[in-house]
Amino acid sequence: VQLQASGGGLVQAGGSLRLSCAASGRSFSNNAMGWFRQAPGQEREFVAAISWPGRSTNYADSVKGRFTISRDNPMNTIYLQMNSLKPEDTAVYYCAARLGNWPDTRDYVYWGRGTLVTVSS
């Protein structure tokens, strides 16, 4: 099972980026999937999650109204559209999948390698 995140990069404050996470090795039907991030010197934190097939979402307060999570089920891919980016959004972003379908903030068992997002002021 592999989760491959991509789409990170350097962007100015106020800009936008779209992250993608492609899953391979198994289908994630009936699995909630999510995004987490880890800034230098800080613990990994929850960003957003989405149920299958995508009717329910969950966001950290710090990104509500700026980030949107979505999923393309036939493509086994999730996305994170990030708008109005702030320097404090700078982190390595990871995608993950959990065994249950509820877009919870914990109990994720499948993890991908991260993609770095850097927001300059």
Side-chain angles (χ1 to χ4, degrees):
V1 177
Q2 187 175 19
L3 298 175
Q4 182 63 54
S6 61
L10 174 63
V11 63
Q12 288 188 331
S16 299
L17 279 176
R18 188 193 194 205
L19 305 184
S20 300
C21 174
S24 60
R26 61 158 282 176
S27 170
F28 284 97
S29 299
N30 297 313
N31 296 99
M33 298 186 71
W35 289 96
F36 291 74
R37 67 187 182 187
Q38 186 167 21
Q42 297 186 23
E43 293 187 353
R44 187 171 60 195
E45 64 175 359
F46 170 79
V47 175
I50 187 167
S51 65
W52 187 90
R55 294 188 180 94
S56 298
T57 56
N58 188 13
Y59 294 94
D61 289 342
S62 59
V63 306
K64 280 181 182 176
R66 299 188 298 122
F67 291 10
T68 302
I69 188 171
S70 61
R71 65 192 297 168
D72 183 334
N73 295 320
M75 296 296 292
N76 223 17
T77 300
I78 65 168
Y79 304 95
L80 186 68
Q81 177 67 43
M82 306 186 295
N83 299 328
S84 302
L85 283 161
K86 305 175 182 179
E88 51 263 44
D89 294 318
T90 295
V92 176
Y93 284 71
Y94 300 88
C95 60
R98 60 190 306 269
L99 295 179
N101 190 30
W102 186 249
D104 209 335
T105 62
R106 59 182 183 177
D107 299 332
Y108 286 75
V109 298
Y110 299 102
W111 291 88
R113 292 186 177 182
T115 185
L116 177 62
V117 172
T118 303
V119 184
S120 63
S121 57

